[in-house]
Amino acid sequence: MSDPSTGENLLFLTDEQLRQGIEAMFFAYRGFTADPDRILADMAYGRAHHRAIHFINRAPGTTVNNLLAILGVTKQSLNRVLRTLIEDGLVESRVGSSDKRERHLYLTDAGRALEQRLSDAQRARMRAAYRAAGPQAVAGFRQVLEAMMDPDMRRRYQALKESGA
Amino acid sequence: MSDPSTGENLLFLTDEQLRQGIEAMFFAYRGFTADPDRILADMAYGRAHHRAIHFINRAPGTTVNNLLAILGVTKQSLNRVLRTLIEDGLVESRVGSSDKRERHLYLTDAGRALEQRLSDAQRARMRAAYRAAGPQAVAGFRQVLEAMMDPDMRRRYQALKESGA
DNA sequence: AGTTTACGTCAGCCTTGTTGACATTCCAAG
DNA sequence: CTTGGAATGTCAACAAGGCTGACGTAAACT
């Protein structure tokens, strides 16, 4: 029953199991983004706007550079998104007080309202999935996801966790 | 210690916990796609090609319509990808024998070779994550992902699981 | 015979990513 | 004080990969 070389059952590491995990990630991610996508489709916004709003809400006053690193896109790409959000009055960009080159980003009331709508929708699905699977499964879920991240992303994730907890 | 209304500890369902789960999905999905993306970048291919190749490999002889439903894109979008794969000799499209309107899709030897390269890279990361987290965490991981899928995607996922196991 | 289905294709549009080039502003080191 | 580099913004051009709409063809169904 156990792998003789390690004394441990390694059946969960077969290629077939890994393939199923890959497909599970694919299908689940689709569900994960489906609800906010529906909300955003009605406005002139897309997933990129959602991501920006999410992380600005999560770390108010964050700099553009920091947001860039978290999102993993170029400044030009982020700038396009950010510009529309600022124009539409969802995000406020304040020049840094100590370092005036930096822009610190904040959600306006309207921005927070949209963030709420989007994250309510996304959390509802997450909550349903968590509840269906139970606390122990959730712990495992988070463990595997963390192990799947690139090391620098894992560091950023941990930092967010600690700041929010 | 336990929620009085249910007699169960529901701390794992707090908004903060859900937010962390959302961020974990985001960061992990980036890692999940990073390795194949690097391979694909060298060729003229993208993530869309990878997905098509993956599912054709997984269900050889699948029809265009079926692939469409699995991938959740329009036929125009899929057709663009499929055409290049056929032109480049990675995918073969055979007219159906019983129903001649249908095209059945197969990977060529070259297609299978690329599929191997891509899925080797992706499975390597998956395997490392699985190994680091352990079998019990993996079970929880899969449970939560399944619960997160849209019902029809869950059905398709289950069907693939059974066909491959 | 007429309708529906499966597929392909043309044309055009949008979001969101990319690179490259260049201006500005400011901090900090020399 | 000057100069180099960092942080930011902006313009332009481009590509991938989604989308809709429209049209055509062949096969199958009724």
Side-chain angles (χ1 to χ4, degrees), chain A residues 145-162:
Chain A
L145 288 187
E146 282 191 38
M148 214 181 310
M149 298 176 195
D150 273 344
D152 44 330
M153 284 303 121
R154 183 155 45 239
R155 257 178 271 118
R156 292 181 189 283
Y157 169 72
Q158 302 282 6
L160 281 173
K161 256 197 339 193
E162 282 153 30

Side-chain angles (χ1 to χ4, degrees), chain B residues 29-58:
Chain B
Y29 199 77
R30 286 257 299 279
F32 172 68
T33 56
D35 304 318
D37 279 359
R38 263 188 291 272
I39 295 173
L40 291 158
D42 296 338
M43 328 186 178
Y45 294 145
R47 219 175 272 178
H49 299 85
H50 182 192
R51 290 196 285 258
I53 288 175
H54 175 99
F55 286 109
I56 293 173
N57 175 256
R58 187 64 154 164

Side-chain angles (χ1 to χ4, degrees), chain B residues 57-74:
Chain B
N57 175 256
R58 187 64 154 164
T62 185
T63 64
V64 173
N65 237 7
N66 185 36
L67 196 51
L68 234 49
I70 286 177
L71 297 176
V73 298
T74 59

Side-chain angles (χ1 to χ4, degrees), chain B residues 14-31:
Chain B
T14 62
D15 278 5
E16 176 58 26
Q17 288 294 310
L18 296 168
R19 256 179 217 283
Q20 288 178 18
I22 287 168
E23 284 160 7
M25 273 297 277
F26 171 70
F27 289 123
Y29 199 77
R30 286 257 299 279

